[in-house]
Amino acid sequence: MFKKILIANRGEIACRVIKTARRMGIATVAVYSDADARAPFVKMADEAVHIGPAPAAESYLIADKIIAACKQTGAEAVHPGYGFLSERTSFAEALAKEGIEFIGPPVGAIAAMGDKIESKKLAMEAGVNVVPGFVGEIEDTEHAVRISEEIGYPVMMKASAGGGGKGMRLAYNEKDVREGFEATKREGLNSFGDDRVFIEKFILNPRHIEIQILGDKHGNIIYLNERECSIQRRHQKVVEEAPSPFVTPKMRKAMGEQCVALSAAVDYHSAGTVELIVSGADPSGESFYFLEMNTRLQVEHPVTEAITGVDLVEQMIRVAAGEKLSMTQDDVTIDGWSIENRVYAEDPYRGFLPSTGRLVQYQPPVEPWADDEAANGRRGVGGIRVDDGVFEGGEVSMFYDPMIAKLVTWGETRDEAADLQVQALDAFRIEGLGHNVDFLSAIMQHDRFRSGELTTGFIAEEYPDGFEGAPASDHLQRGLAAVAGVIATANADRARRVDQQLDSRTMPPGDWSVTLNGREYAVSLEEDGITVDGALIDLEMEYTPGDRMVDVELDEDVLTIQLAPTRGGFAITTRGAKHNLRVLPAHIAPLAQHMIEKIPPDLSKFLICPMPGLLVKLHVAEGEEVQPGQPLATVEAMKMENILRAEKQGVISKVNSAEGESLAVDAIILELE
């Protein structure tokens, strides 16, 4: 077994590998950029080596710097995590030349599966179902249009070397192909150094199912069941679960055996994942097709660990060290259900725009997963596991992935795992930047999610006009009104104890008018209970003025609420939504109707940058007339291109920014007249 390994990655996956290596008695080496000098993974490792500036292209993507760090520290092997150099054949080959073990699959398998065009040909030869499409190289946009029309719309354009949802465009017609083909090429070139694109048929009602593969260097390959990853936004996974509510034992066996055959065809060893697209319109489950193979550890691997009890990182290390798998296919079981939500630095209330910045407050619902020796150690604390790599006071940088943490829950049933997600998300405190916690909670509560009727179009179909918070029942709203009354009374009681006040009133108000979502509630705190509009509310809570998180029991329903003071009331966040409550003493509330409403300024004549990013392209010039929906500018943020379009007809009167310029959020790109 290795005595020391280096982790050629950062963030939560670096922390994840370090924890397992520590349990195995293996020393660890971290490498870090300027931006990560104070990151948790750097402090956790036994040694740390600085490798360059913040941009990944100048640090984490430089293989020579990783190898130099191995030589400097005496590391015998490298775990690449995911992303960065994890699927670069040149990196694995360079390590081999230096006698350093690569904790991953053989170079041949990486090469064969890393090229989407070649991997599709190989899958066909191995007898794996493949999606109809064009697997050759595409010459130009005109060629792309001809191919798309031959296949039949809708089609998916993909960068051959792409991954992680980058370099993908869905086209429903010729216009979409003409507009998206060049953008797909650019994303492929910028993110992966390869601008080749292929086109395939888009499967209707598609479900994204993936099979976890594990093999050793002695020819043994098994599959560790499936994960459902259908809930995606812009082709990036948001929610993952294991097992899938759609997959039957018969489907699981057929999928697993085909994926093992594909892996055997490239002499695969280590952990890997074969991704399949499955037609949800076919209840037989036979319409499943090979999508791609990821020759690395997946972000969502914890859900597989939770239901199988197998530590995938440990197995990768043991396989790299030459050990045989200690299990056979018959040993693989399914115990319970696990769900993972990706907590991202993005603002769902503003169209999911990237939100970089400082984590002013960061408090996960439980302590980060520690990888202890307990039998259920891979399930965290009470079935709640948090994998993260951030810290309070640190920054979510524009240079890397926007992930803050992975929240993983385990339960005996799917509903139990989802209920735990809602509970844990309520208690996840993040301040200082936008995040998607409310959105994730809304998904977990959604009737369609609970039914298991999922497709990759779930988010687009259920939130076509964007996200405004999870809907709150009348019962919850009445309960929040009561909570607001209790908080207001406690705050007033504290305020009355301040010395030197002119007001002679000695008791705090007990009657309140609470306005929530346009409805006014009359809340009264009396000796025998709390009433809302005259009806008793069963409410138990402990609140001290200044608390920002409070546990509440409302008619036997336990909630965790997060509080923030606002002018005239409170903002209460719980159950997937932020509620603004105006709270006034009952005798003052009637006067509110006399207040003048402040009208916001008209910003429709400005094209405002909605996020920090790089202005990649200006599509218009001064004096040009534009129509609604016309592309005006393309801004790149967090490695993704975002096209900003005209909201109304007008003429460009002034261009304030130039291509190649770095823009701050709310920067004015151009003006219309």
Side-chain angles (χ1 to χ4, degrees):
M1 180 51 64
F2 307 118
K3 294 180 180 177
K4 182 184 291 187
I5 65 173
L6 181 145
I7 298 91
N9 217 297
R10 62 176 300 280
E12 65 87 13
I13 188 58
C15 293
R16 162 75 182 90
V17 176
I18 290 169
K19 289 172 183 177
T20 290
R22 179 185 294 166
R23 175 172 53 80
M24 296 175 68
I26 301 172
T28 55
V29 179
V31 291
Y32 65 94
S33 70
D34 291 345
D36 286 331
R38 296 170 56 230
F41 76 93
V42 176
K43 297 179 181 179
M44 287 176 59
D46 296 296
E47 298 175 68
V49 179
H50 176 252
I51 55 170
E58 300 176 42
S59 50
Y60 296 107
L61 287 172
I62 305 297
D64 289 344
K65 292 186 177 183
I66 305 297
I67 292 172
C70 289
K71 292 179 177 179
Q72 177 183 331
T73 58
E76 305 160 78
V78 171
H79 195 299
Y82 49 73
F84 293 145
L85 298 171
S86 62
E87 294 177 285
R88 292 276 183 93
T89 54
S90 58
F91 179 56
E93 289 170 340
L95 289 175
K97 288 180 181 178
E98 299 293 340
I100 302 168
E101 193 67 37
F102 179 68
I103 302 176
V107 171
I110 299 174
M113 294 294 106
D115 187 314
K116 287 185 171 63
I117 294 173
E118 293 304 317
S119 65
K120 193 170 183 179
K121 292 177 180 177
L122 197 103
M124 294 171 67
E125 293 171 3
V128 179
N129 302 341
V130 297
V131 180
F134 184 82
V135 296
E137 290 192 34
I138 301 171
E139 300 165 6
D140 52 26
T141 301
E142 295 301 326
H143 190 197
V145 169
R146 291 198 302 273
I147 290 168
S148 300
E149 290 176 346
E150 289 171 5
I151 295 172
Y153 294 107
V155 299
M156 181 70 79
M157 298 177 288
K158 298 182 182 179
S160 180
K166 298 177 180 66
M168 299 174 69
R169 289 288 191 285
L170 179 58
Y172 287 95
N173 49 48
E174 179 183 337
K175 178 177 176 291
D176 291 345
V177 175
R178 291 188 181 280
E179 189 173 286
F181 180 71
E182 289 299 328
T184 305
K185 289 187 68 173
R186 281 198 304 273
E187 283 188 5
L189 185 62
N190 293 339
S191 297
F192 311 103
D194 186 342
D195 69 351
R196 289 179 301 155
V197 173
F198 72 100
I199 299 177
E200 64 185 14
K201 180 71 175 176
F202 182 71
I203 304 300
L204 295 174
N205 299 325
R207 299 182 76 117
H208 188 123
I209 310 292
E210 57 188 33
I211 300 292
Q212 177 68 59
I213 293 295
L214 184 63
D216 62 25
K217 296 180 179 180
H218 305 277
N220 303 303
I221 304 175
I222 61 175
Y223 62 93
L224 279 72
N225 307 314
E226 81 284 349
R227 295 184 287 259
E228 171 110 26
C229 310
S230 295
I231 298 184
Q232 305 175 6
R233 194 185 67 77
R234 293 184 66 173
H235 312 299
Q236 287 191 306
K237 299 166 189 172
V238 177
V239 181
E240 299 102 349
E241 59 182 306
S244 164
F246 183 72
V247 173
T248 63
K250 180 181 177 182
M251 288 171 61
R252 182 175 297 118
K253 187 172 187 294
M255 291 176 175
E257 289 177 350
Q258 281 198 19
C259 295
V260 166
L262 176 62
S263 303
V266 291
D267 297 323
Y268 200 90
H269 63 249
S270 193
T273 296
V274 180
E275 300 196 351
L276 306 169
I277 197 80
V278 182
S279 175
D282 181 3
S284 73
E286 295 178 0
S287 300
F288 64 87
Y289 306 97
F290 171 75
L291 198 60
E292 64 180 339
M293 184 173 189
N294 293 309
T295 55
R296 53 171 168 79
L297 192 66
Q298 291 282 92
V299 175
E300 57 271 23
H301 74 273
V303 294
T304 295
E305 294 183 329
I307 66 165
T308 63
V310 177
D311 186 323
L312 288 169
V313 171
E314 177 182 347
Q315 292 302 316
M316 291 180 75
I317 294 172
R318 293 191 180 283
V319 166
E323 295 185 13
K324 289 185 177 181
L325 292 182
S326 59
M327 68 201 83
T328 65
Q329 191 64 59
D330 292 339
D331 297 323
V332 179
T333 59
I334 298 178
D335 180 13
W337 213 287
S338 185
I339 300 174
E340 174 180 295
N341 275 308
R342 300 190 187 190
V343 180
Y344 281 130
E346 61 183 15
D347 192 344
Y349 294 102
R350 297 185 65 195
F352 298 93
L353 295 174
S355 180
T356 58
R358 188 170 300 282
L359 285 164
V360 177
Q361 296 282 343
Y362 177 74
Q363 181 182 328
V366 297
E367 288 296 313
W369 177 71
D371 192 13
D372 55 33
E373 293 284 358
N376 64 348
R378 280 165 285 286
R379 295 175 182 168
V381 180
I384 300 173
R385 167 176 165 179
V386 175
D387 283 20
D388 63 17
V390 299
F391 65 100
E392 189 169 275
E395 285 195 31
V396 176
S397 170
M398 65 178 287
F399 296 104
Y400 311 119
D401 189 275
M403 185 184 291
I404 297 173
K406 300 186 308 196
L407 178 64
V408 184
T409 56
W410 178 89
E412 294 286 351
T413 66
R414 186 170 185 265
D415 278 341
E416 284 183 24
D419 288 343
L420 268 180
Q421 281 284 344
V422 176
Q423 173 188 324
L425 287 163
D426 273 353
F428 217 129
R429 187 178 178 193
I430 303 171
E431 294 182 16
L433 44 71
H435 56 80
N436 66 340
V437 166
D438 285 354
F439 180 63
L440 297 174
S441 180
I443 292 175
M444 293 295 100
Q445 300 171 68
H446 202 289
D447 289 342
R448 180 175 164 188
F449 174 79
R450 291 300 180 115
S451 73
E453 296 297 322
L454 311 178
T455 70
T456 56
F458 176 92
I459 291 176
E461 293 160 7
E462 298 302 325
Y463 302 96
D465 300 320
F467 178 71
E468 297 178 355
S473 66
D474 182 63
H475 173 259
L476 177 59
Q477 292 190 82
R478 291 168 59 82
L480 294 181
V483 167
V486 172
I487 294 170
T489 299
N491 288 348
D493 185 56
R494 182 184 185 187
R496 77 184 179 90
R497 300 174 188 276
V498 177
D499 289 340
Q500 308 299 320
Q501 296 190 82
L502 296 177
D503 193 347
S504 60
R505 184 180 287 111
T506 57
M507 295 298 293
D511 296 323
W512 300 91
S513 172
V514 180
T515 303
L516 170 60
N517 294 330
R519 180 174 173 182
E520 192 170 338
Y521 298 89
V523 179
S524 294
L525 277 67
E526 302 167 1
E527 288 187 6
D528 55 350
I530 303 171
T531 63
V532 176
D533 293 338
L536 278 171
I537 290 285
D538 186 4
L539 175 68
E540 292 185 21
M541 59 181 286
E542 291 186 10
Y543 170 76
T544 301
D547 285 351
R548 290 291 180 264
M549 189 175 290
V550 181
D551 290 328
V552 174
E553 189 171 327
L554 177 64
D555 293 332
E556 299 183 357
D557 188 12
V558 178
L559 307 173
T560 297
I561 66 172
Q562 298 191 40
L563 300 170
T566 61
R567 180 174 294 180
F570 315 102
I572 296 181
T573 303
T574 190
R575 289 295 189 266
K578 181 177 181 179
H579 304 277
N580 289 303
L581 296 87
R582 189 194 69 179
V583 186
L584 297 172
H587 67 284
I588 293 176
L591 303 176
Q593 61 183 306
H594 301 292
M595 298 297 290
I596 299 173
E597 184 178 353
K598 185 177 181 181
I599 300 174
D602 179 16
L603 300 176
S604 62
K605 69 176 183 177
F606 300 110
L607 179 65
I608 297 174
C609 187
M611 75 212 87
L614 180 70
L615 182 56
V616 176
K617 187 173 181 60
L618 274 171
H619 300 278
V620 293
E622 288 185 10
E624 186 174 337
E625 184 175 344
V626 297
Q627 300 297 325
Q630 181 176 336
L632 300 180
T634 299
V635 176
E636 182 184 290
M638 297 252 180
K639 304 177 186 175
M640 297 290 286
E641 288 192 358
N642 304 272
I643 299 175
L644 308 182
R645 303 176 184 273
E647 295 183 358
K648 64 179 185 180
Q649 183 179 359
V651 176
I652 307 300
S653 61
K654 185 179 179 182
V655 176
N656 301 76
S657 305
E659 290 184 2
E661 185 176 338
S662 293
L663 303 175
V665 64
D666 293 334
I668 297 175
I669 299 173
L670 52 82
E671 301 176 27
L672 294 90
E673 62 180 24

